[in-house]
């Protein structure tokens, strides 16, 4: 049975939340002298029903993030959502890479050369394709977080550039620190931006994307250069 995907029950709330997020994003961009069009709003749809995702899509949201391959796979069987773009934002096990590259347009959570090698091996089966990835950086150093420590990023980037000709590293992703101190959150986003600027110089590649900022901190992230904000509860409400 295919889910009822008209999403009528969700549309009002989701539309209101998306409108709200977009206007907060525009204000944050303008405050920091940026063009709001340079920042993408991602709907993080983990644990959300397909009807809610469909409602968001019908309200004009085209970029979605999931953090588990299996959940993405189950949802893809219910709703194709032609034109939607999916990013993998959770920890990826190497034995799920083949499924992941088939189900996602970008993997934002690359955190080891072994994982990059696995993606490269599968992508290189089709010689014409380049596959976009981001490197996940654990800027805050919190032990609960995935991602490579900042001091290892350049080594990993160098390895990927050398060994993975079918991957394009589009930039860095991070999860802000789990603290209430707004200044600490800002510092962590500034650190990721500085790391990106340094990597640009060192490797001479554009690294256009900084994926940073979630429901609680995306305005700060935009002020500090984010190009992708990953908003879950702020769009869909509490996770089911
Ligand atoms: C869940 C999740 C988000 C969204 O979190 P919210 O606080 O609900 O906006 C963003 N990024 C990652 C990597 C996540 O796992």
């Amino acid at each position: 049975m295919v889910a009822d995907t008209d999403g009528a029950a969700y549309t009002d709330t989701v539309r209101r939340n998306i409108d709200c997020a977009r206007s907060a994003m525009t204000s944050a961009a303008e405050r920091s002298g940026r063009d709001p069009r340079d920042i993408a709003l991602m709907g993080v749809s983990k644990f959300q029903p397909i009807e809610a995702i469909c409602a968001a899509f019908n309200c004009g949201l085209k970029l979605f993030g999931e953090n588990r391959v299996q959940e993405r796979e189950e949802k893809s069987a219910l709703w194709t959502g032609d034109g939607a773009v999916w990013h993998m934002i959770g920890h990826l096990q190497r034995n799920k890479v083949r499924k992941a590259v088939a189900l996602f347009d970008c993997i934002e959570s690359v955190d080891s050369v072994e994982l990059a090698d696995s993606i490269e091996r599968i992508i290189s089966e089709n010689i014409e394709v380049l596959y976009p990835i981001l490197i996940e950086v654990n800027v805050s150093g919190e032990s609960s977080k995935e991602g490579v420590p900042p001091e290892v990023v350049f080594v990993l980037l160098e390895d990927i550039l050398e060994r993975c000709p079918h991957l394009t590293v589009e930039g860095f992703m991070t999860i802000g620190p789990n603290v209430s101190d707004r200044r600490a959150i800002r510092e962590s986003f500034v650190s990721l931006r500085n790391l990106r600027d340094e990597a640009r110089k060192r490797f001479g590649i554009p690294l256009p994307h900084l994926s940073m900022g979630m429901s609680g901190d995306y305005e700060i992230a935009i002020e500090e250069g984010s190009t992708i904000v990953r908003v879950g509860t702020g769009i869909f409400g509490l996770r089911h």
Side-chain angles (χ1 to χ4, degrees):
M1 206 181 71
V2 171
D4 163 23
T5 49
D6 76 359
Y10 291 93
T11 303
D12 285 350
T13 317
V14 163
R15 183 185 300 282
R16 204 164 40 240
N17 289 344
I18 291 174
D19 287 350
C20 234
R22 287 209 192 282
S23 81
M25 287 171 67
T26 301
S27 304
E30 285 168 354
R31 271 200 300 282
S32 47
R34 303 185 56 204
D35 185 339
R37 286 170 302 188
D38 291 341
I39 305 139
L41 174 60
M42 173 194 290
V44 176
S45 50
K46 64 187 181 199
F47 302 120
Q48 301 292 352
I50 201 73
E51 292 81 0
I53 303 171
C54 198
F57 183 79
N58 290 335
C59 296
L61 199 70
K62 294 292 177 274
L63 175 61
F64 296 91
E66 287 278 346
N67 66 346
R68 285 169 54 238
V69 172
Q70 194 188 331
E71 186 173 344
R72 168 75 191 107
E73 188 177 31
E74 287 162 9
K75 286 171 176 170
S76 76
L78 296 172
W79 179 64
T80 51
D82 287 340
V85 175
W86 294 86
H87 285 195
M88 171 64 178
I89 60 172
H91 184 67
L92 178 58
Q93 290 165 288
R94 276 194 284 158
N95 61 1
K96 300 212 171 126
V97 166
R98 185 172 294 281
K99 271 189 180 169
V101 299
L103 291 162
F104 291 99
D105 303 286
C106 171
I107 294 171
E108 294 200 4
S109 44
V110 174
D111 60 359
S112 72
V113 75
E114 291 80 12
L115 178 58
D117 280 343
S118 299
I119 304 172
E120 167 68 22
R121 204 162 43 246
I122 285 159
I123 292 298
S124 64
E125 291 169 2
N126 180 350
I127 207 132
E128 303 300 329
V129 176
L130 280 180
Y131 191 83
I133 62 165
L134 303 184
I135 293 177
E136 180 172 359
V137 186
N138 182 357
V139 180
S140 65
E142 287 170 5
S143 60
S144 59
K145 289 201 162 60
E146 313 285 351
V148 290
E151 59 273 18
V152 180
V153 171
F154 295 157
V155 177
L156 176 57
L157 181 54
E158 183 165 26
D159 281 346
I160 295 175
L161 292 175
E162 232 171 68
R163 298 155 66 118
C164 306
H166 295 85
L167 305 188
T168 56
V169 183
E170 298 276 319
F172 299 153
M173 182 268 255
T174 199
I175 299 175
N178 192 12
V179 297
S180 53
D181 178 0
R182 312 299 279 176
R183 208 181 39 198
I185 294 171
R186 185 178 299 277
E187 274 167 15
S188 136
F189 294 147
V190 169
S191 297
L192 192 70
R193 187 187 67 219
N194 287 340
L195 207 59
R196 191 274 311 269
D197 292 349
E198 175 68 25
R200 265 183 179 163
K201 268 191 241 149
R202 223 184 249 221
F203 298 97
I205 53 176
L207 298 170
H209 285 297
L210 285 175
S211 175
M212 55 189 198
M214 317 198 324
S215 296
D217 55 20
Y218 67 85
E219 293 167 79
I220 303 175
I222 289 171
E223 288 167 8
E224 300 306 339
S226 175
T227 63
I228 303 171
V229 293
R230 308 181 309 268
V231 180
T233 50
I235 289 177
F236 297 109
L238 292 180
R239 287 183 262 280
H240 299 269

